[in-house]
Amino acid sequence: YSEEEKTEDYLFKIVLIGDSAVGKSNLLARFARDEFYPNSKSTIGVEFQTQKMEINGKEIKAQIWDTAGQERFRAVTSAYYRGAVGALVVYDISRRPTFDSIGRWLNELHTHSDMNVVTILVGNKCDLKDGREVGTAEGKALAEAQGLFFIETSALDSSNVTNAFQTVVKEIY
Ligand code: GTP
Ligand code: MG
């Protein structure tokens, strides 16, 4: 690389989507600030956070967008997805209906963004072992069928949170 290339800035827009209360905002809080909110409120509108990452010795900025899972709190959809190159599609392993919604979220993603947006299916709350309603194999199978990366995370105990974001950024890069 030339000196010029080395100092070049990369800014990747990544969107978080999935049903309300699956843990999108807490995944972002854990990743960007190493924080967790046991009683977080539903997101209203859109928030985003820029996080520096280092991939293969290069500085990358991931601009991660977070919106409400609840329809009535969501901002204009097309603006949310515009320019996105990565997506985390999140469900809650302890609530089967949030897994059943994944198809609808993927439809929305593909309607409003480029077909080759790098996408990872994220089964969050894997700390809730006794409350599990969606098996790891099921998540993996859906991801495979849809051509997505797959990971199970816990924003509560930090498992795989950085890994989830890094998988997407590495693939974009
Ligand atoms: P909306 O903004 O309404 O779309 O919800 P969201 O997907 O942003 O969910 P949020 O991050 O607000 O989390 C919802 C609830 O789940 C909160 O009470 C969190 O504390 C809890 N939660 C989030 N992640 C985890 C996790 O990994 N494990 C456990 N046990 N609870 C979690
Ligand atoms: Mg939220």
Side-chain angles (χ1 to χ4, degrees), residues 20-26 37-38 40 42-43 69 124-125 127 155-156:
S20 185
V22 296
K24 299 180 296 298
S25 298
N26 274 280
Y37 304 92
S40 69
S42 279
T43 304
N124 189 40
K125 307 198 188 180
D127 57 281
L156 186 151

Side-chain angles (χ1 to χ4, degrees), residues 117-135:
V117 51
V118 176
T119 307
I120 187 167
L121 180 64
V122 178
N124 189 40
K125 307 198 188 180
C126 68
D127 57 281
L128 296 176
K129 295 194 172 62
D130 298 334
R132 184 185 278 274
E133 288 185 0
V134 183

